[in-house]
Amino acid sequence: MQWKTLLDLFIGFGRATLLGFGGGPSIVPLYEHEAVEVFAWVSREEFGTALAMGNALPGPIVTKLTMYIGYRVAGWPGAIVALLAVTLSVGLIMIALAGLMLRFKDSPVLKGMVNGIRPVVFVMLAILAWDFAGYAFQPKGTGLLSWLPFGIAAA
């Protein structure tokens, strides 16, 4: 087990977590960027499969997805480091921000900042939906059954 690999997992997932806003699904494109393009831990197809499997299971997608990739890269130590990267930093920041938001809850500047972030979250969710559609709606095989995912989604 290389310490550099564990450090990379912590930096990659921690950076994506700290740069994201709006909850788990809106941060998934940032995790995909880190895992597929920056560090090449998994392929885009494997990321899409892990995302689909993670969405089928109960609980937050962020922890399941990052722990899977961490486990895939570095076994159980990688899964634990990935989990710490996405929870520890956010937990500490939430405690600090909650105190500030309670203190300045009536501030028009704070209200304007929150309203300004909403479109960014919408765009990130739209990107996630677009990317996920590419994985989910690839026809498998030939014939009528190959279009079954499209029919289910339309229904």
Side-chain angles (χ1 to χ4, degrees):
M1 177 63 49
Q2 291 185 358
W3 287 103
K4 181 173 179 354
T5 303
L6 295 176
L7 182 62
D8 285 346
L9 282 167
F10 190 83
I11 289 171
F13 289 132
R15 176 174 45 209
T17 300
L18 292 175
L19 293 176
F21 186 86
S26 66
I27 301 173
V28 170
L30 299 175
Y31 292 135
E32 180 181 21
H33 175 73
E34 294 289 339
V36 174
E37 296 174 24
V38 175
F39 292 102
W41 292 320
V42 293
S43 68
R44 190 170 305 280
E45 291 75 25
E46 186 174 6
F47 187 90
T49 301
L51 179 62
M53 288 184 347
N55 274 318
L57 299 171
I61 184 63
V62 167
T63 54
K64 294 178 289 187
L65 185 61
T66 57
M67 284 185 71
Y68 166 77
I69 294 171
Y71 182 81
R72 172 95 165 58
V73 172
W76 283 109
I80 292 167
V81 167
L83 178 64
L84 287 174
V86 301
T87 56
L88 186 62
S89 57
V90 171
L92 295 174
I93 289 173
M94 280 300 296
I95 291 169
L97 285 178
L100 287 173
M101 290 193 70
L102 285 173
R103 185 172 180 195
F104 298 107
K105 66 182 178 185
D106 296 325
S107 167
V109 173
L110 181 62
K111 289 179 183 178
M113 289 171 60
V114 171
N115 287 336
I117 291 172
R118 286 184 183 147
V120 174
V121 173
F122 173 78
V123 169
M124 292 181 80
L125 287 171
I127 290 170
L128 173 64
W130 181 260
D131 286 346
F132 189 70
Y135 302 126
F137 298 128
Q138 291 177 354
K140 308 288 187 228
T142 59
L144 185 60
L145 287 180
S146 68
W147 294 95
L148 185 60
F150 293 105
I152 292 171

